[in-house]
Amino acid sequence: MSTSLSRYLVEQQRAKGKIPPELRLLLEVVARACKSISHSVNKGALGGVLGSASTENIQGEVQKKLDIIANEVLIDANEWGGHLAAMASEEMDSIYLVPNRYPKGEYLLLFDPLDGSSNIDVNVSIGTIFSVLKKPDGVEDVSEKDFLQSGSQQVTAGYCVYGPQTTLVLTVGNGVDMFTLDREQGSFVLTHEGIQIPADTKEFAINMSNMRHWDDPVKKYIDECLQGKEGPRGKDFNMRWIASMVADVHRILTRGGVFMYPWDKREPSKPGKLRLMYEANPMSWLVEQAGGAATNGKQRILDIVPTQLHERVSVILGSNNEVERVTGYHLKP
Ligand code: AHM
Ligand code: MG
């Protein structure tokens, strides 16, 4: 018999003691929200959800209609259940406190409601990324500084990718498991357990159009990959770049590879394009839980203590030996 997400979570709570009841509720609610977002994504033009809204987010990016819809779905689903104290999102300037009319819980939820926004209108895989932290002990009135915890403090993290299949990928610190949405049953079903990323790979993911802006260690690594069998690596590499981090990371969890969005010279004052707290941290933890590695070139991403909610970071993650190699090129140029 197949295992539904609900059963899996109850078993994790009961037998393995890995998750408290409030966290189980939180994950059920996030999964329900993802189901609803999946429904809107699937409707596409028929649901009138494609195209841009006339607003910008705090990062100065034009919001798509689906960015806003997904953000609202996640807030509406999560604010009343009593499991959260506050939320933060790529699409909101500051944190969202659970309104006083609802009971408050112990957890802080962070999310990128719709990652890969540039792919929405062209019908390419996109997704929702989320990370959960605990409210610091003794804090009554949550403020932004209570969110500024390193990724190693996450209690659960995951993403849902809306592709040919809708797949929810989770960790509660006990490995990585995947659930596929069964649309007839209306529930997520456990389809892959104990995901492991191979330590070696012949596949890299990077936006090559930025090559002239990269730093030397990244140029050196990619140049060696491009030389293939005739170069120092002695093997041919393949390249993939979906421009949706969820989809690129999903491929890496499925068959290995290395993903990079490094710092580059276009905007030298920014540490990178991707956001630490709701993109890099959850993905880094998933990758580490699957036996891979994640660094910013110099240090483990999960060790970075954020100073801002929307902080950016350089990202190198995936197959262990490749991440070590690129990181080594940064540390010993
Ligand atoms: P978004 O959260 O606004 O969609 O931006 C993040 C996305 C990642 O999913 C992806 O890896 C990257 O931006 C693609 O960037 P680029 O268009 O520069 O290749
Ligand atoms: Mg994103």
Side-chain angles (χ1 to χ4, degrees):
M1 205 184 96
S2 61
T3 303
S4 66
L5 175 69
S6 299
R7 178 171 174 178
Y8 166 93
L9 292 172
V10 167
E11 284 174 0
Q12 290 276 327
Q13 180 191 329
R14 196 193 287 150
K16 303 190 179 143
K18 278 307 283 182
I19 49 173
E22 263 201 352
L23 191 55
R24 177 167 70 82
L25 174 66
L26 189 161
L27 285 167
E28 292 266 18
V29 174
V30 169
R32 204 157 58 228
C34 289
K35 244 189 283 180
S36 165
I37 297 168
S38 171
H39 193 67
S40 296
V41 168
N42 279 191
K43 281 201 161 172
L46 299 176
V49 297
L50 301 186
S52 297
S54 49
T55 46
E56 278 189 0
N57 65 15
I58 191 167
Q59 355 258 340
E61 299 158 345
V62 175
Q63 291 175 303
K64 301 278 180 162
K65 286 183 194 163
L66 264 174
D67 286 323
I68 296 172
I69 293 168
N71 195 58
E72 280 168 4
V73 167
L74 280 154
I75 290 176
D76 289 351
N78 278 288
E79 66 178 354
W80 52 270
H83 50 284
L84 286 183
M87 295 179 243
S89 160
E90 178 175 321
E91 305 304 339
M92 296 190 290
D93 296 4
S94 45
I95 64 167
Y96 179 92
L97 295 171
V98 167
N100 284 333
R101 61 184 182 279
Y102 300 123
K104 310 271 180 4
E106 292 301 305
Y107 293 105
L108 308 174
L109 173 65
L110 298 101
F111 46 83
D112 176 355
L114 212 70
D115 179 60
S117 306
S118 70
N119 282 323
I120 294 172
D121 294 352
V122 293
N123 201 0
V124 169
S125 297
I126 47 183
T128 299
I129 310 174
F130 63 93
S131 162
V132 179
L133 297 165
K134 266 207 112 175
K135 183 180 76 165
D137 285 343
V139 169
E140 280 303 320
D141 297 316
V142 173
S143 66
E144 195 168 306
K145 74 172 182 343
D146 299 313
F147 279 78
L148 303 180
Q149 307 178 33
S150 70
S152 57
Q153 302 298 309
Q154 294 173 102
V155 292
T156 181
Y159 65 81
C160 187
V161 58
Y162 313 114
Q165 305 115 43
T166 288
T167 308
L168 182 72
V169 180
L170 275 187
T171 185
V172 289
N174 189 21
V176 178
D177 299 319
M178 292 185 180
F179 303 82
T180 305
L181 181 60
D182 180 335
R183 289 189 188 278
E184 276 118 62
Q185 302 289 335
S187 61
F188 281 102
V189 176
L190 180 64
T191 41
H192 301 86
E193 275 182 281
I195 301 296
Q196 282 294 315
I197 300 175
D200 291 302
T201 183
K202 290 175 163 184
E203 203 159 62
F204 66 85
I206 194 165
N207 184 339
M208 289 290 290
S209 68
N210 297 326
M211 190 171 195
R212 69 191 185 285
H213 305 296
W214 298 334
D215 227 353
D216 289 344
V218 177
K219 276 189 186 150
K220 173 178 155 86
Y221 174 76
I222 295 297
D223 181 55
E224 288 179 357
C225 293
L226 295 178
Q227 289 179 53
K229 271 201 189 98
E230 291 76 34
R233 302 301 307 275
K235 59 182 181 182
D236 291 334
F237 278 77
N238 184 29
M239 192 198 89
R240 287 285 182 273
W241 183 251
I242 302 174
S244 289
M245 189 192 198
V246 268
D248 279 313
V249 169
H250 194 67
R251 183 187 60 257
I252 288 171
L253 285 170
T254 306
R255 69 177 188 210
V258 59
F259 169 95
M260 284 181 273
Y261 212 121
W263 171 90
D264 66 48
K265 295 187 189 101
R266 283 173 299 169
E267 290 182 278
S269 61
K270 285 189 187 155
K273 172 178 181 180
L274 299 175
R275 275 56 52 124
L276 173 64
M277 298 209 63
Y278 40 79
E279 292 180 321
N281 274 344
M283 293 313 206
S284 297
W285 197 30
L286 286 164
V287 164
E288 283 197 5
Q289 283 288 315
T295 76
N296 67 354
K298 304 218 158 76
Q299 72 177 126
R300 186 178 171 234
I301 286 177
L302 295 182
D303 287 338
I304 299 172
V305 180
T307 55
Q308 290 172 43
L309 190 61
H310 297 288
E311 182 164 328
R312 293 172 189 258
V313 67
S314 177
V315 176
I316 299 158
L317 59 75
S319 289
N320 199 62
N321 293 342
E322 295 303 306
V323 175
E324 265 190 15
R325 179 179 282 267
V326 191
T327 307
Y329 289 179
H330 283 81
L331 296 176
K332 289 187 225 111

